[in-house]
Amino acid sequence: MFDLLIRNANLPDGTAGVDIAVKDGKIAEVAPGITAEAGEVIDAEGQLITPPFVDPHFHMDATLSLGLPRMNISGTLLEGISLWGELRPTLTKEALIDRAVRYCDLAVSKGLLAVRSHVDVSDPRLVTAEALLEVREIVAPYIDLQLVAFPQDGFYRCPEAAEALVRALDMGVDIVGGIPHFERTMEDGARSVEALCRIAADRGLRVDMHCDETDDPLSRHVETLAAQTVRFGLQGRVAGSHLTSMHSMDNYYVSKLIPLMAEAELAAIPNPLINIMLQGRHDTYPKRRGLTRIPELLEAGITVGFGQDCVLDPWYSMGSGDLLDVAHMALHATQLGSGEDKKQLFQMVTTNSAKIMGLEGYGLAKGCNADLVLLQARDAAEAIRLRPNRLKVWRRGKLVSETAPEVSRLSLAGRPGTVNPADYAPQHAT
């Protein structure tokens, strides 16, 4: 007898009419027409079941701090960094924990059950690391939270950062971060990439580096990151986040760069919402939109995962914790609009990002963790189009969130009494 049986579900790969059986927090069977009994039976009614959404790039220490100490008037990355520098000395462990856990509540309601958060270690007090390590324990029953030791003010540019980063790793932070384009010189940036990759290799850790988050086509630290990844044998364990300078590089150089990234098995983490908002600020027209070369990276076989990056903080006054918002914006910005494109975009907020984070037991196969999301949509394309309600969210087979279907009532003579947006899915879309 199973604990839970979900009948008549559609899967992100396009498979329809599937049953999913759950036992002891694991997926026990995936097949049509499962006949065994279960403690609870749910009829998915031909709606989409997916593994949870995964955010491989976020800043949980800054989330929900919008307006502290004041608003970002210019809307630029550099003013955001300046504001954070003013706020950081006033941060308390209690306030950091409260905001982060509140955000995790929102994340669960959106079916987001895995997050990689960068943790600023530029302040030698390391109150951010202390707080986020405690948050990791608090939310462990329902969210997989990875932490990146991130020297926001530069590994070399900030005098205390190198020592503080090592202490943060000693405290239990998972991953080595960096920001080479924010160092004082290109040479210092390259040196920081080498030093940080050496630390990761010595400790057996992953690397996730803010890399070339700029419009400058000569910001080419991703090339150094690829080279040091190979040098230290870190293939498959390194991600370059943002990579926005690639939108401004000439095509000849990119034709060399992308194969180097593929050779190093480097993952790419664009953050479409904030990249589009912050980049191109010095342009008049035509105005660059700031997103890295996602179609070309995919074509080269590079694993691409999308991050939310920020929600209501000094850099971004928007955000909802919904990774489908991110995929929706990316679709428009990249013009990846075919049926197969939409499946790939959906993977970038689920399976691709899970691969980047190295999540174990993730997926919809037998033996995977029973972490599941039922959406008010028929398939992955409709999920991106509608960003629909998460009707039910399960963690290890236990219901952790549910939302009523979105149904509008009409009072129109001769017309139906209700409208369900999921009913408008095209029947023969390709």
Side-chain angles (χ1 to χ4, degrees), residues 176 213 317:
V176 178
E213 188 184 2
S317 63

Side-chain angles (χ1 to χ4, degrees), residues 106-130:
L106 177 64
V108 169
S109 75
K110 299 296 185 181
L112 171 57
L113 302 186
V115 178
R116 176 181 285 180
S117 175
H118 294 258
V119 182
D120 185 7
V121 296
S122 298
D123 183 344
R125 295 183 304 150
L126 289 181
V127 64
T128 49
E130 288 183 9

Side-chain angles (χ1 to χ4, degrees), residues 78-333:
L78 292 180
E79 184 175 351
I81 292 174
S82 176
L83 285 172
W84 176 247
E86 293 178 36
L87 176 60
R88 189 168 52 209
T90 72
L91 294 173
T92 66
K93 180 179 174 181
E94 294 72 24
L96 283 160
I97 291 173
D98 178 67
R99 285 196 293 265
V101 174
R102 283 188 63 219
Y103 177 78
C104 289
D105 296 341
L106 177 64
V108 169
S109 75
K110 299 296 185 181
L112 171 57
L113 302 186
V115 178
R116 176 181 285 180
S117 175
H118 294 258
V119 182
D120 185 7
V121 296
S122 298
D123 183 344
R125 295 183 304 150
L126 289 181
V127 64
T128 49
E130 288 183 9
L132 268 294
L133 285 165
E134 189 166 325
V135 169
R136 187 173 68 185
E137 297 305 312
I138 293 170
V139 304
Y142 49 92
I143 286 181
D144 293 308
L145 178 59
Q146 293 181 353
L147 302 177
V148 183
F150 174 50
Q152 171 79 73
D153 293 346
F155 185 69
Y156 289 125
R157 187 171 178 177
C158 173
E160 299 92 355
E163 188 269 339
L165 182 140
V166 170
R167 278 198 292 125
L169 296 175
D170 290 341
M171 291 164 61
V173 173
D174 308 285
I175 298 162
V176 178
I179 187 168
H181 55 279
F182 197 64
E183 302 290 353
R184 285 190 174 85
T185 65
M186 298 294 281
E187 291 76 11
D188 281 352
R191 286 199 306 123
S192 76
V193 172
E194 178 183 7
L196 291 162
C197 285
R198 185 185 298 276
I199 291 171
D202 289 345
R203 290 173 174 256
L205 300 178
R206 293 176 180 267
V207 176
D208 189 334
M209 203 165 291
H210 285 59
C211 204
D212 304 325
E213 188 184 2
T214 170
D215 294 327
D216 180 7
L218 297 181
S219 185
R220 298 178 172 183
H221 295 295
V222 64
E223 178 183 76
T224 305
L225 182 60
Q228 297 297 345
T229 296
V230 173
R231 176 187 178 193
F232 287 107
L234 295 169
Q235 292 95 327
R237 292 160 50 193
V238 178
S241 291
H242 294 291
L243 305 177
T244 58
S245 69
M246 290 180 69
H247 70 195
S248 300
M249 293 173 180
D250 69 79
N251 291 333
Y252 182 85
Y253 175 68
V254 170
S255 73
K256 171 199 173 188
L257 174 62
I258 290 180
L260 291 176
M261 295 171 65
E263 178 187 334
E265 300 175 36
L266 204 68
I269 308 177
N271 298 279
L273 298 177
I274 201 161
N275 292 157
I276 291 169
M277 178 65 80
L278 293 182
Q279 302 305 312
R281 289 282 177 163
H282 295 281
D283 293 353
T284 52
Y285 290 93
K287 181 181 281 287
R288 291 168 289 184
R289 300 312 300 134
L291 209 52
T292 193
R293 299 184 182 220
I294 293 167
E296 291 89 342
L297 293 170
L298 291 171
E299 187 176 355
I302 291 170
T303 302
V304 179
F306 288 152
Q308 172 91 54
D309 199 3
C310 302
V311 170
L312 299 174
D313 68 12
W315 294 275
Y316 190 58
S317 63
M318 303 285 285
S320 64
D322 188 348
L323 268 291
L324 286 176
D325 279 346
V326 180
H328 183 91
M329 181 63 78
L331 183 152
H332 291 85

Side-chain angles (χ1 to χ4, degrees), residues 54-75:
V54 177
D55 185 353
H57 188 106
F58 194 65
H59 291 265
M60 202 171 284
D61 52 3
T63 195
L64 306 185
S65 65
L66 181 68
L68 300 175
R70 60 183 184 281
M71 295 296 289
N72 184 337
I73 302 303
S74 69

Side-chain angles (χ1 to χ4, degrees), residues 50-54 103-114 143 308 311 319-325 346 349-350 372-375 386-394 400-403:
T50 178
F53 296 102
V54 177
Y103 177 78
C104 289
D105 296 341
L106 177 64
V108 169
S109 75
K110 299 296 185 181
L112 171 57
L113 302 186
I143 286 181
Q308 172 91 54
V311 170
S320 64
D322 188 348
L323 268 291
L324 286 176
D325 279 346
F346 196 84
V349 293
T350 53
L372 304 165
V373 183
L374 174 63
L375 294 100
L386 295 173
R387 285 133 319 142
N389 286 357
R390 280 59 164 172
L391 302 178
K392 294 183 183 294
V393 181
W394 292 274
V400 292
S401 178
E402 57 184 328
T403 304

